[in-house]
Amino acid sequence: MDRGPALLGTQGLLAGKSFTITMEGLRIGREVGNEVHIDDGGVSRQHARVLLHNGAVWVQDAGSRNGIFVNGERVPDHKQMKVGDQLTVGAHIFEVVPGASTTGPVVPPRAAPAQKPAAAPSAAPSAPKWKIWPFVLVILLVGSFIACIGLVGSGGDDGAASAAPAAGGSAYSLSTMLEPAPGTVVPPAGAGSVAAPVPATPTVADALAVVAGADPSASLANVPDAPPGTSSRELVELAQGMYDSGRLSEAKKQYQMALKIDAACAICKVRIERIEVELAAKVQQQFDAGMRYFDSMQFSQAVGAWETVLMLVPEPTDPMHVRAVEYLQKAKDASRGR
């Protein structure tokens, strides 16, 4: 069976490495987590995406700063590629190569060795053969014993600290993955401070689900229609300007309006996904900051953090919006009662 076409690094940090192109696509960029990770300052965090669509290879510019080039020509949006084409990302060059066969060459069987004449039976008894199953059983028993020790050990001081959030609720787990915004001083929770309200179901999936959806086109029903006569390309250009100025929610709406006009706008889907992830991170960061401010009795700062959450997630029925409204009211009540 043959694999699909692949990207082969011919120049740069990934020279000699091959990446199979799939229908899900290969993300190329400086950010860790991309299928094609290039640790180079001249490459954007989300630089480009190469995917297989209807049997053809397509490349999309994911909003990179320095652009992408196919055979030396800049690609402003997306372009179909063929075997032999060269893709340039910064100082790194890749070539589209045909898929490699997963079945190796057929090797003819060797001739069976000539049978030696049977030796005369020896009077001495043969050595006993070792059986492997007793060793496997011993290994399984030792592994189970070590696992039990680990579970018992987790009940100590460290285990109590990690289990405490589960008992009484905790801030969203994404807070351990995000750094505070530049210039934001978030004090640690101190002993004897006011107990902070906590979310009901703190899970990573719940946090990401605040604004990020699995399918960018799934929520288009509530997106307003574009003004008459407006083209999808005009909306994409407008959205890019909003994104560059930090207006993420407005940029997302413009991309959704463009996708509503042109369902085949692949670059719209790519950029909507990226904006949703960035929005989720900012919402989670502000929510966790509000929790820590409340815990240190800095109620005005907590109010500001949760009001930012409401601005980023304006839908009243969104779970994060509902929680932010609840804790915002508690912070205001606590501030008046001081």
Side-chain angles (χ1 to χ4, degrees):
M1 182 176 64
D2 292 339
R3 295 176 181 169
L7 273 185
L8 175 63
T10 59
Q11 180 178 319
L13 296 177
L14 302 182
K17 294 188 177 182
S18 178
F19 305 88
T20 301
I21 303 171
T22 63
M23 289 187 292
E24 288 76 16
L26 293 174
R27 295 172 298 174
I28 304 174
R30 189 178 74 250
E31 189 173 68
V32 176
N34 288 310
E35 288 78 12
V36 183
H37 174 225
I38 306 176
D39 189 9
D40 184 352
V43 178
S44 299
R45 291 182 302 168
Q46 296 287 341
H47 200 105
R49 186 179 185 187
V50 179
L51 70 157
L52 194 63
H53 180 66
N54 291 337
V57 177
W58 291 82
V59 62
Q60 304 167 343
D61 188 335
S64 64
R65 186 192 315 171
N66 298 324
I68 58 175
F69 299 82
V70 173
N71 298 331
E73 296 183 2
R74 181 158 186 167
V75 178
D77 195 68
H78 59 274
K79 179 180 179 65
Q80 183 176 347
M81 300 177 66
K82 62 183 183 299
V83 172
D85 284 349
Q86 290 189 335
L87 170 64
T88 302
V89 178
H92 311 270
I93 300 178
F94 302 86
E95 182 177 342
V96 180
V97 296
S101 175
T102 59
T103 57
V106 178
V107 179
R110 295 182 178 179
Q115 295 290 336
K116 294 182 179 180
S122 174
S126 60
K129 295 182 179 180
W130 291 96
K131 296 184 178 180
I132 195 172
W133 68 265
F135 298 97
V136 175
L137 180 60
V138 171
I139 292 173
L140 291 176
L141 290 175
V142 172
S144 301
F145 179 71
I146 293 175
C148 291
I149 291 177
L151 290 175
V152 173
S154 66
D157 295 339
D158 294 339
S162 61
S170 68
Y172 276 78
S173 56
L174 276 184
S175 62
T176 61
M177 303 163 56
L178 300 174
E179 298 179 356
T184 301
V185 179
V186 182
S193 57
V194 178
V198 293
T201 55
T203 63
V204 174
D206 193 13
L208 286 177
V210 172
V211 291
D215 182 3
S217 60
S219 58
L220 297 182
N222 297 326
V223 176
D225 294 330
T230 306
S231 67
S232 173
R233 188 176 186 85
E234 291 173 339
L235 292 173
V236 168
E237 293 176 354
L238 180 61
Q240 184 61 41
M242 292 178 175
Y243 177 83
D244 292 338
S245 63
R247 298 151 61 191
L248 299 182
S249 298
E250 297 178 45
K252 175 186 173 184
K253 182 176 293 185
Q254 295 298 321
Y255 280 126
Q256 288 176 321
M257 292 167 63
L259 187 60
K260 198 171 183 180
I261 295 176
D262 180 11
C265 180
I267 196 65
C268 296
K269 295 182 180 180
V270 171
R271 293 179 179 174
I272 288 172
E273 290 174 1
R274 182 173 64 181
I275 290 175
E276 287 175 339
V277 171
E278 292 184 15
L279 273 173
K282 288 191 175 183
V283 168
Q284 187 60 59
Q285 185 182 78
Q286 291 297 320
F287 192 91
D288 290 345
M291 301 293 284
R292 292 192 290 272
Y293 277 128
F294 189 96
D295 188 57
S296 61
M297 294 186 292
Q298 299 186 43
F299 301 122
S300 60
Q301 289 88 337
V303 168
W306 284 326
E307 285 179 344
T308 301
V309 173
L310 298 182
M311 179 186 67
L312 294 173
V313 189
E315 295 81 3
T317 59
D318 190 285
M320 184 64 85
H321 185 101
V322 174
R323 293 190 183 99
V325 168
E326 177 185 354
Y327 302 143
L328 177 63
Q329 187 59 48
K330 290 183 179 180
K332 291 181 177 179
D333 294 343
S335 178
R336 288 192 291 267
R338 291 182 60 180

